[in-house]
Amino acid sequence: MEYIGNVFRPPSEAYSLIIQVTVGCAHNTCTFCSMYKDDRFFIRKQEEILGDLREMALPYPGIRRIFLADGDALVVPTNRLLEILHMAYDLYPKLERVTSYATAQDILRKSDEELQSLKEAGLDMVYVGLESGSDEVLREISKDMTQDDYVAAILKAKKAGIKTSVTMILGLGQLEKREDHIQGCIQAINRSQPDYVAFLSLHLSPGAPLYDEVKAGRFYEINDDEKMAEMREFIEQVDSPGTVFRSNHASNPVSIAGTLNRDRETMLAQIDQAVAYSAYRPNYWRNL
Ligand code: SF4
């Protein structure tokens, strides 16, 4: 099996078999993202995808997790996804879950019945990038989504029984819009109550339009103390009991984890201690 172009996965899929069902991202306009900017988007031929599943079942029959790549695999027509899911569970007897990235629009395009059938076929969870709860910031980063779209998508996936893991990005509001950005994130999570939420720090690479904006001095990248202040405000005010919170992504100054709202005070104390001693991960760990 050979991968085409760049392949990315969430940190929690580190031990998953990654099966590329698409190449690139169908959306591919987010200004902070350079992941698939060099890849022309296409859905792979069904026979190739099924062939990858068959090929990897021979050396790795004990696979327990499969992640469907690339950037928004849920854009694939439902009948094709169902065939992929059925074959995966047939070929890998120990398979426990299949997950993928999905945009809010991918989820909203599918009917309740389609999402239900995907859940029944074993699509366990989707990773959705909220990035910001502020409609203004979402517009600026060309996310093509509003907070209302995001909330509707998460509630729709949850109604079908599909778990949801949501990421937000520290620093997208710079300093002027930080309040709108973080308060929007709090509001979006309160309204949607996903299973998991995580913060990433804005980490720009060449190819991302925002990278050029930073180089030109037109976009301010917040520092570690400012990132921690955003994270603190979110944890202090969000109200989403049972949602698992993580900031374990390599881009973050500190790795914090706990269950909302139960572990709020513990997580706030960890943040305060890290800030007091500037006990942040060194830049070379974060590829900065
Ligand atoms: S952030 Fe996600 S949806 Fe946006 S361009 Fe990158 S892969 Fe595509």
Side-chain angles (χ1 to χ4, degrees):
M1 184 176 79
E2 282 185 18
Y3 292 117
I4 305 164
N6 298 316
V7 177
F8 298 89
R9 53 145 182 88
S12 49
E13 301 293 337
Y15 300 105
S16 304
L17 170 63
I18 298 180
I19 296 289
Q20 257 182 319
V21 300
T22 64
V23 173
C25 167
H27 178 58
N28 214 15
T29 57
C30 301
T31 59
F32 60 87
C33 175
S34 58
M35 294 201 299
Y36 304 108
K37 290 287 186 279
D38 294 333
D39 297 325
R40 184 183 56 86
F41 173 80
F42 64 95
I43 299 175
R44 291 183 68 212
K45 290 186 181 139
Q46 189 77 346
E47 262 322 300
E48 291 176 3
I49 301 165
L50 301 180
D52 284 352
L53 283 171
R54 285 192 206 97
E55 186 184 330
M56 298 310 283
L58 290 172
Y60 303 111
I63 289 287
R64 292 179 189 274
R65 292 180 170 196
I66 289 178
F67 177 71
L68 302 179
D70 278 338
D72 57 343
L74 220 66
V75 78
V76 174
T78 302
N79 61 335
R80 291 190 51 181
L81 286 172
L82 288 172
E83 187 181 21
I84 292 163
L85 288 164
H86 288 138
M87 179 174 276
Y89 281 93
D90 284 348
L91 286 170
Y92 300 90
K94 295 189 175 158
L95 188 59
E96 292 165 357
R97 71 177 212 187
V98 179
T99 57
S100 81
Y101 287 129
T103 65
Q105 305 302 351
D106 294 335
I107 297 169
L108 292 174
R109 261 193 304 272
K110 299 215 184 279
S111 67
D112 288 344
E113 292 70 29
E114 284 178 292
L115 291 171
Q116 181 75 44
S117 65
L118 290 168
K119 167 63 186 169
E120 284 165 6
L123 181 70
D124 186 61
M125 181 162 73
V126 287
Y127 295 91
V128 179
L130 166 61
E131 331 302 5
S132 175
S134 156
D135 283 348
E136 191 179 347
V137 172
L138 287 169
R139 195 165 47 250
E140 283 175 2
I141 61 169
S142 301
K143 189 72 190 171
D144 270 354
M145 173 186 89
T146 62
Q147 185 194 112
D148 283 350
D149 294 335
Y150 155 82
V151 171
I154 296 296
L155 295 180
K156 195 169 183 182
K158 283 175 60 173
K159 187 175 163 201
I162 298 172
K163 292 196 206 96
T164 52
S165 180
V166 173
T167 48
M168 304 160 293
I169 301 180
L170 298 166
L172 271 184
Q174 306 173 73
L175 291 182
E176 313 89 82
K177 291 177 197 132
R178 77 169 293 288
E179 236 5 63
D180 198 26
H181 172 52
I182 289 301
Q183 287 300 319
C185 287
I186 292 166
Q187 196 179 44
I189 298 305
N190 288 355
R191 292 175 68 200
S192 60
Q193 309 266 309
D195 297 279
Y196 300 90
V197 290
F199 269 122
L200 285 69
S201 293
L202 189 61
H203 180 48
L204 299 166
S205 304
L210 217 46
Y211 177 88
D212 298 330
E213 293 295 295
V214 169
K215 290 286 170 214
R218 291 190 291 267
F219 187 95
Y220 172 72
E221 273 188 298
I222 62 172
N223 62 35
D224 284 348
D225 286 343
E226 289 158 350
K227 289 175 194 168
M228 297 307 290
E230 289 193 355
M231 203 188 300
R232 191 184 201 291
E233 183 174 327
F234 175 86
I235 291 174
E236 189 175 33
Q237 297 182 29
V238 73
D239 182 16
S240 187
T243 296
V244 174
F245 174 87
R246 294 189 189 117
S247 71
N248 60 343
H249 191 267
S251 61
N252 289 318
V254 172
S255 177
I256 304 280
T259 300
L260 300 171
N261 302 333
R262 187 193 69 194
D263 300 331
R264 189 195 312 275
E265 295 309 320
T266 308
M267 291 192 282
L268 290 177
Q270 288 171 347
I271 289 173
D272 290 343
Q273 194 172 24
V275 172
Y277 296 100
S278 292
Y280 303 145
R281 290 165 162 164
N283 284 354
Y284 64 87
W285 277 19
R286 296 188 258 161
N287 201 20
L288 296 178

